[in-house]
Amino acid sequence: MAVSEQFELPADSFDKDCPTRPVMAEVTGRWGALIIAALVPGPMRFSALHRHVGGISQKMLSQHLKSMVRYGLVERLVEPTVPPQVSYRLTPLGRSLARQLCALLSWFSDNTPALQAAQQRYDEDRPKVA
């Protein structure tokens, strides 16, 4: 790797006791990035968010939203109606993270054909097990 292509990473990120590890796991896991990206346009009610993030169960969505509220990435808004209406939106901290996560999601979208071609080449080159 050329010197100009090297990346500087905080050394403590690799420490097993790094306090950001649980947050990293939350936002880079199966659902975290998608939930945050779904909230970029603005607040969403739980049901709309559930429909938007295809494949996530209500239980998983609820668990992830609670964690994200705890970490200060998402704000839970309760409207004083009967019954109460709850929506979620990104906090300023969540918006700053969303910029990075959306760039990552765009990278995956832009490189899908290359990733699929690599998988196909790999699968074709592997010996078949009977």
Side-chain angles (χ1 to χ4, degrees):
M1 188 181 281
V3 174
S4 64
E5 293 178 352
Q6 290 180 353
F7 300 98
E8 292 292 324
L9 297 171
D12 63 346
S13 295
F14 298 97
D15 183 339
K16 67 178 180 61
D17 297 321
C18 177
T20 63
R21 283 254 184 119
V23 183
M24 283 191 289
E26 180 67 42
V27 299
T28 61
R30 183 173 183 184
W31 302 113
L34 296 175
I35 293 168
I36 289 174
L39 291 171
V40 166
M44 290 182 85
R45 293 192 50 203
F46 183 91
S47 58
L49 192 53
H50 182 249
R51 282 190 303 276
H52 193 65
V53 181
I56 192 170
S57 69
Q58 289 185 353
K59 179 181 176 182
M60 287 306 298
L61 179 56
S62 178
Q63 288 175 353
H64 282 282
L65 286 168
K66 285 177 186 175
S67 288
M68 290 179 186
V69 168
R70 181 174 181 253
Y71 292 129
L73 302 172
V74 171
E75 181 179 13
R76 183 176 186 267
L77 307 166
V78 180
E79 297 176 34
T81 59
V82 177
Q85 293 184 357
V86 178
S87 59
Y88 296 88
R89 71 174 172 204
L90 294 174
T91 63
L93 185 62
R95 291 195 77 70
S96 70
L97 175 61
R99 282 188 208 86
Q100 307 303 316
L101 289 176
C102 288
L104 179 63
L105 293 173
S106 293
W107 182 92
F108 279 107
S109 180
D110 293 346
N111 290 284
T112 297
L115 293 166
Q116 290 175 323
Q119 290 172 11
Q120 185 175 359
R121 283 190 307 276
Y122 178 87
D123 292 345
E124 289 170 357
D125 291 343
R126 291 189 52 112
K128 304 295 182 237
V129 178

